Amino acid sequence: MLTDTRSVRYYQRLTDALVELWRRGNRFSELQLYMDGYLACLRQSNALEPYLVHRLEEEVFRFLRDPSNFELAMVQPQTEPDYY
């Protein structure tokens, strides 16, 4: 569980980006590459402490393995309003 506010923000940004990439048709291996690159940038820039980056990596990998995060929502057809 992430408790640091900056790591939570990075988690939200990264998971939102992963879902968006999935919706655009990218494969699982491409999502992993994106995640690895994002985490490598965090490590190189020293934006977070190394142990926080490691926790973030574990949480994002857990998010990535859960198929329910990438299911498309069933769109409900919009009914026309009845004016009578």
Side-chain angles (χ1 to χ4, degrees), residues 5-76:
T5 56
R6 286 186 303 155
S7 59
V8 169
R9 265 189 237 130
Y10 287 126
Y11 174 82
Q12 289 172 336
R13 288 179 187 166
L14 182 53
T15 54
D16 288 346
L18 290 173
V19 170
E20 182 61 30
L21 289 170
W22 178 260
R23 288 186 181 151
R24 290 183 182 180
N26 289 299
R27 296 186 181 125
F28 182 74
S29 60
E30 293 166 332
L31 297 180
Q32 283 185 313
L33 287 174
Y34 183 86
M35 179 187 76
D36 291 341
Y38 192 94
L39 294 171
C41 288
L42 286 177
R43 285 187 183 99
Q44 291 297 320
S45 67
N46 291 326
L48 290 174
E49 296 292 325
Y51 74 95
L52 290 174
V53 175
H54 182 69
R55 278 192 194 160
L56 178 64
E57 182 177 18
E58 290 175 346
E59 291 296 324
V60 173
F61 192 67
R62 187 175 300 133
F63 176 87
L64 196 58
R65 287 184 304 194
D66 187 3
S68 67
N69 293 321
F70 299 100
E71 292 178 356
L72 295 176
M74 296 298 289
V75 179
Q76 297 294 326

